[in-house]
Amino acid sequence: MMYYPPSIRDLIKNITRLPGIGEKTAERLALHILHAPREQAQALAQSIMALKDNIRRCKRCFGLSDTEVCRICSNPKRDGARLCVVELPADMISIEKSGAFFGVYHILDGALSPMDGVGPDDIRIRELVRRVAAEKIEEVVVATNTSVEGEATATYIYQRLKDTGVKVTRIASGIPMGGDLKYVDQLTIKRALDSRHAI
Amino acid sequence: MMYYPPSIRDLIKNITRLPGIGEKTAERLALHILHAPREQAQALAQSIMALKDNIRRCKRCFGLSDTEVCRICSNPKRDGARLCVVELPADMISIEKSGAFFGVYHILDGALSPMDGVGPDDIRIRELVRRVAAEKIEEVVVATNTSVEGEATATYIYQRLKDTGVKVTRIASGIPMGGDLKYVDQLTIKRALDSRHAI
């Protein structure tokens, strides 16, 4: 890297900071950018800054958005009566990719974790309770992770909402599809057995 | 990808254009940039544009440089009497990395290839001849590739310079270090045998 002029060295250094990119790959990418058309390099540089400038949180669901209200919240075809609660924006993307949910979302931005000092006021529980009171919501689908923190958060949300008349559901946990029983951990197997249902 | 807001989608699309980066990796890098400190994203974007703005060819050796004359050509400790001729800037970097050459360079920007219509006037032969006449050069080390084109270019350079009194040498070809004879092609073995020397 020290054999390159400073401009190439700087770019290699900045690319190496990205996760999973070693110096060899960074060198290859920098040399590609060097020889690529100016427009392509410019488009890349501009989209990096546009991302930092434009992405904000949707003021309704707190998902990632370019606009004040995100595309899902402002889509009249989405079922506003079904509200899916997730920990992070990335979880919302995963559920969208499944194509199995047509309602709207609420991003908590975390999960309850007393050990780490994360209480109900540190995640967007208050905003959730407010939405349930203000919007015509029939069902709250709690899709927090199946970790200790995610489960605790789901239980807490149920406690907070149980007197509102809104149905609170939890996504099922069990053996992953295509999962091989001998590789699945015992807690998951126990949960799958406890939740067994008639075929 | 269609599940992301436009700003994230644009960045993923532009990252995917880089060689060897698939959509999954691009997604991971874009989300990293989204969550990275603004300064880090800015440094990356700026170094991309700085590269395109600043990198030019050294007016003496035609290597990559941020300045009119590159760091090697302007380094008084380099031996200006030894001139190494290479096809591309990347070849010069490889030789620099070896740490075995302390002279200066001349980048041809290609090799003779009559089949592709590349003649002596299409690569920097004229500039080479001019440098040999103008500078105090004792030895021209021809380090073009050992391909048909590189060999032809080396022979042509020897023909053009043989009456100038300057010594023209060619880098040795043979079995690569650590090379296993049974995996080395026959042409390389023939060349290695022809160039054998006393131990």
Side-chain angles (χ1 to χ4, degrees):
Chain A
M1 189 163 121
M2 53 178 284
Y3 308 102
Y4 290 104
S7 298
I8 302 183
R9 240 153 48 197
D10 281 354
L11 180 57
I12 293 175
K13 195 188 69 195
N14 283 317
I15 294 177
T16 312
R17 282 196 192 143
L18 296 172
I21 305 268
E23 197 175 309
K24 277 273 170 196
T25 305
E27 192 176 330
R28 188 168 53 77
L29 295 178
L31 292 178
H32 171 86
I33 291 170
L34 178 67
H35 296 110
R38 197 185 161 78
E39 297 70 44
Q40 192 185 326
Q42 203 153 24
L44 178 60
Q46 279 170 352
S47 60
I48 291 170
M49 288 322 292
L51 179 74
K52 299 304 274 187
D53 289 336
N54 300 344
I55 288 289
R56 66 188 94 178
R57 293 309 187 90
C58 167
K59 72 168 188 178
R60 205 167 144 211
C61 75
F62 306 100
L64 299 173
S65 178
D66 276 333
T67 44
E68 202 167 62
V69 175
C70 77
R71 290 171 314 145
I72 291 173
C73 286
S74 54
N75 182 349
K77 286 184 185 151
R78 303 290 299 217
D79 179 2
R82 245 140 285 277
L83 184 72
C84 180
V85 178
V86 294
E87 295 182 23
L88 297 174
D91 301 330
M92 172 181 148
I93 300 286
S94 290
I95 292 175
E96 281 297 289
K97 282 183 178 170
S98 78
F101 183 71
F102 307 99
V104 293
Y105 293 90
H106 185 87
I107 284 96
L108 293 173
D109 265 317
L112 294 179
S113 178
M115 296 277 283
D116 302 313
V118 181
D121 291 342
D122 300 311
I123 62 177
R124 296 205 169 90
I125 296 283
R126 212 176 323 148
E127 290 87 343
L128 173 63
V129 173
R130 210 178 294 148
R131 285 185 73 180
V132 170
E135 299 175 24
K136 286 199 182 69
I137 292 165
E138 295 169 17
E139 179 184 359
V140 170
V141 183
V142 184
T144 51
N145 290 334
T146 52
S147 60
V148 174
E149 293 80 9
E151 293 285 312
T153 308
T155 306
Y156 182 83
I157 289 172
Y158 170 72
Q159 294 292 338
R160 286 292 298 264
L161 298 180
K162 72 171 191 285
D163 299 327
T164 59
V166 166
K167 193 164 126 193
V168 180
T169 58
R170 179 85 174 108
I171 50 162
S173 48
I175 314 297
M177 292 305 292
D180 193 323
L181 276 185
K182 67 178 169 293
Y183 299 125
V184 172
D185 65 291
Q186 293 169 343
L187 202 64
T188 300
I189 291 186
K190 181 180 184 308
R191 178 70 71 101
L193 283 171
D194 290 348
S195 309
R196 70 186 179 277
H197 50 78
I199 301 171
Chain B
M1 187 165 124
M2 54 179 285
Y3 307 103
Y4 289 105
S7 299
I8 301 182
R9 238 151 51 198
D10 282 353
L11 180 56
I12 294 175
K13 198 188 71 196
N14 283 318
I15 295 177
T16 311
R17 281 196 193 143
L18 297 172
I21 305 270
E23 201 174 298
K24 276 273 168 197
T25 304
E27 193 176 328
R28 188 168 54 76
L29 295 178
L31 293 179
H32 171 85
I33 291 169
L34 177 67
H35 296 111
R38 198 185 160 79
E39 297 68 44
Q40 192 185 329
Q42 201 154 25
L44 178 60
Q46 279 171 353
S47 60
I48 290 170
M49 288 322 293
L51 180 74
K52 300 304 275 189
D53 289 337
N54 299 345
I55 288 290
R56 65 188 94 178
R57 292 309 187 90
C58 168
K59 71 170 189 177
R60 202 165 147 213
C61 75
F62 306 101
L64 300 174
S65 178
D66 276 334
T67 44
E68 203 168 63
V69 175
C70 78
R71 289 172 313 148
I72 291 173
C73 285
S74 55
N75 182 349
K77 286 185 186 153
R78 304 289 301 215
D79 179 3
R82 246 139 286 276
L83 183 72
C84 179
V85 178
V86 293
E87 294 183 22
L88 298 175
D91 301 330
M92 173 181 146
I93 300 285
S94 291
I95 292 175
E96 281 296 290
K97 283 181 179 172
S98 78
F101 183 70
F102 306 99
V104 293
Y105 293 90
H106 184 86
I107 284 99
L108 293 171
D109 264 316
L112 294 179
S113 179
M115 297 278 283
D116 302 313
V118 180
D121 290 342
D122 300 310
I123 60 177
R124 297 204 167 92
I125 295 284
R126 212 175 324 146
E127 289 87 343
L128 174 63
V129 173
R130 208 177 297 148
R131 285 185 73 180
V132 169
E135 299 176 21
K136 286 198 182 72
I137 292 165
E138 295 168 19
E139 179 184 0
V140 171
V141 182
V142 184
T144 52
N145 290 335
T146 51
S147 61
V148 174
E149 294 79 10
E151 293 285 312
T153 308
T155 307
Y156 182 83
I157 288 172
Y158 170 71
Q159 293 293 336
R160 286 291 299 266
L161 298 180
K162 73 172 191 283
D163 299 329
T164 58
V166 166
K167 192 164 129 193
V168 180
T169 56
R170 179 86 174 105
I171 49 162
S173 49
I175 314 298
M177 292 306 291
D180 193 324
L181 276 184
K182 65 178 171 293
Y183 300 124
V184 173
D185 66 290
Q186 293 168 345
L187 201 67
T188 300
I189 290 186
K190 182 180 181 308
R191 178 69 73 100
L193 284 170
D194 290 348
S195 308
R196 69 187 180 277
H197 49 78
I199 301 172

